[in-house]
Amino acid sequence: VLADLNDPGNAGTLLRSADAFGCLGVVLGSLGADPHQPKVVRAAMGAIFRMPFTLGEPETVALAAAEAGFEIAGLSAAGESIELAVWPNRQALVAGHERHGLGRWKGICARLLAIPMRGPAESLNAAVAGSIALFQASKRPIVD
């Protein structure tokens, strides 16, 4: 889930990463970049034609996730270490907005996950953080 990401490069990159790491689909927050914008399409490098995606609102996504048995986790510096996370069989991952973090999407997250950083940087670029999290999720054992 892309939490209203405004930067089309970040949105396209995360569509590409979702495709690369085996996601079932992507939800783009309705207040974010237009998925058909040329920079999104370029950054997605073809993934936009393979990866199912839709626009969504937090409440609608929360209801659909609950009905389909998905847990929703958000990326946040205040969360538990992503290195220790146990990934359920059905996991939705919310990557925060470039400036506002999870924003209006935080309330639908059952848990928060953090990417441990050794250096003094306060945060990572949305596409970088989301891609790291997708990679981490793809290599963890899946449990029901």
Side-chain angles (χ1 to χ4, degrees):
V1 178
L2 312 184
D4 301 323
L5 298 184
N6 285 330
D7 185 286
N10 284 340
T13 298
L14 281 169
L15 280 163
R16 185 177 181 185
S17 292
D19 185 38
F21 294 115
C23 294
L24 300 175
V26 175
V27 176
L28 294 96
S30 64
L31 301 179
D34 178 350
H36 298 102
Q37 182 186 34
K39 190 171 180 183
V40 174
V41 175
R42 271 193 313 273
M45 296 296 292
I48 198 159
F49 303 112
R50 293 184 298 274
M51 178 60 52
F53 68 90
T54 189
L55 298 179
E57 300 293 331
E59 300 78 19
T60 307
V61 170
L63 288 172
E67 288 175 6
F70 279 81
E71 177 192 80
I72 301 174
L75 293 176
S76 170
E80 67 176 286
S81 173
I82 201 166
E83 293 177 320
L84 305 174
V86 175
W87 298 90
N89 193 32
R90 293 179 168 255
Q91 177 75 69
L93 184 64
V94 183
H97 181 275
E98 294 88 348
R99 188 175 306 141
H100 306 294
L102 294 171
R104 66 189 187 127
W105 295 84
K106 186 175 183 180
I108 69 166
C109 297
R111 65 182 173 147
L112 300 176
L113 300 173
I115 298 169
M117 298 185 295
R118 292 184 182 174
E122 291 180 14
S123 65
L124 296 169
N125 168 284
V128 170
S131 297
I132 289 170
L134 290 173
F135 170 72
Q136 188 72 26
S138 76
K139 68 180 192 156
R140 299 296 296 175
I142 297 175
V143 297
D144 287 325

